[in-house]
């Protein structure tokens, strides 16, 4: 759970870093972050069912995927386009 909380803190700052470069990606990462905070609150109050745990892990996975796609869009594609021009 410590790793989940550490990632939650990092993920919460991600839209701030992405805002200047790609607003659509930044805005698309906000709903999963909000849902992860909600599920984390349920987890901390011990009112999370096994289905809730599954959803929390699924949201974590979705957020990790969105973050990796954002990194590829922002940094990988420009690099690929740069090397294809030469």
């Amino acid at each position: 759970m410590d790793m989940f909380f550490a990632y939650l803190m990092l993920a919460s700052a991600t839209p701030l870093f992405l805002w200047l470069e790609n607003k659509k990606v930044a805005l698309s990462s906000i709903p999963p972050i909000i849902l992860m905070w909600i599920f984390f609150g349920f987890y901390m109050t011990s009112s999370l069912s096994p289905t809730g745990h599954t959803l929390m892990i699924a949201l974590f996975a979705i957020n990790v995927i969105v973050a990796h796609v954002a990194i590829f869009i922002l940094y990988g594609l420009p690099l690929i386009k740069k090397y294809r021009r030469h």
Side-chain angles (χ1 to χ4, degrees):
M1 183 47 69
D2 292 337
M3 190 59 148
F4 176 76
F5 185 72
Y7 182 77
L8 187 56
M9 297 302 286
L10 263 169
S12 296
T14 301
L16 297 173
F17 297 123
L18 295 175
W19 187 255
L20 293 176
E21 295 172 354
N22 195 328
K23 289 177 177 56
K24 288 180 184 178
V25 175
L27 290 174
S28 70
S29 66
I30 292 174
I33 292 169
I34 292 171
L35 289 172
M36 282 180 14
W37 275 108
I38 291 169
F39 278 104
F40 182 72
F42 286 141
Y43 177 80
M44 293 306 292
T45 60
S46 300
S47 61
L48 200 58
S49 67
T51 304
H53 279 283
T54 303
L55 287 172
M56 186 173 72
I57 298 301
L59 284 170
F60 176 78
I62 289 168
N63 206 347
V64 169
I65 291 168
V66 167
H68 282 82
V69 168
I71 289 170
F72 180 74
I73 289 171
L74 295 174
Y75 302 111
L77 284 180
L79 190 63
I80 291 170
K81 289 178 183 178
K82 178 182 171 184
Y83 284 116
R84 284 193 178 175
R85 284 188 217 147
H86 296 317

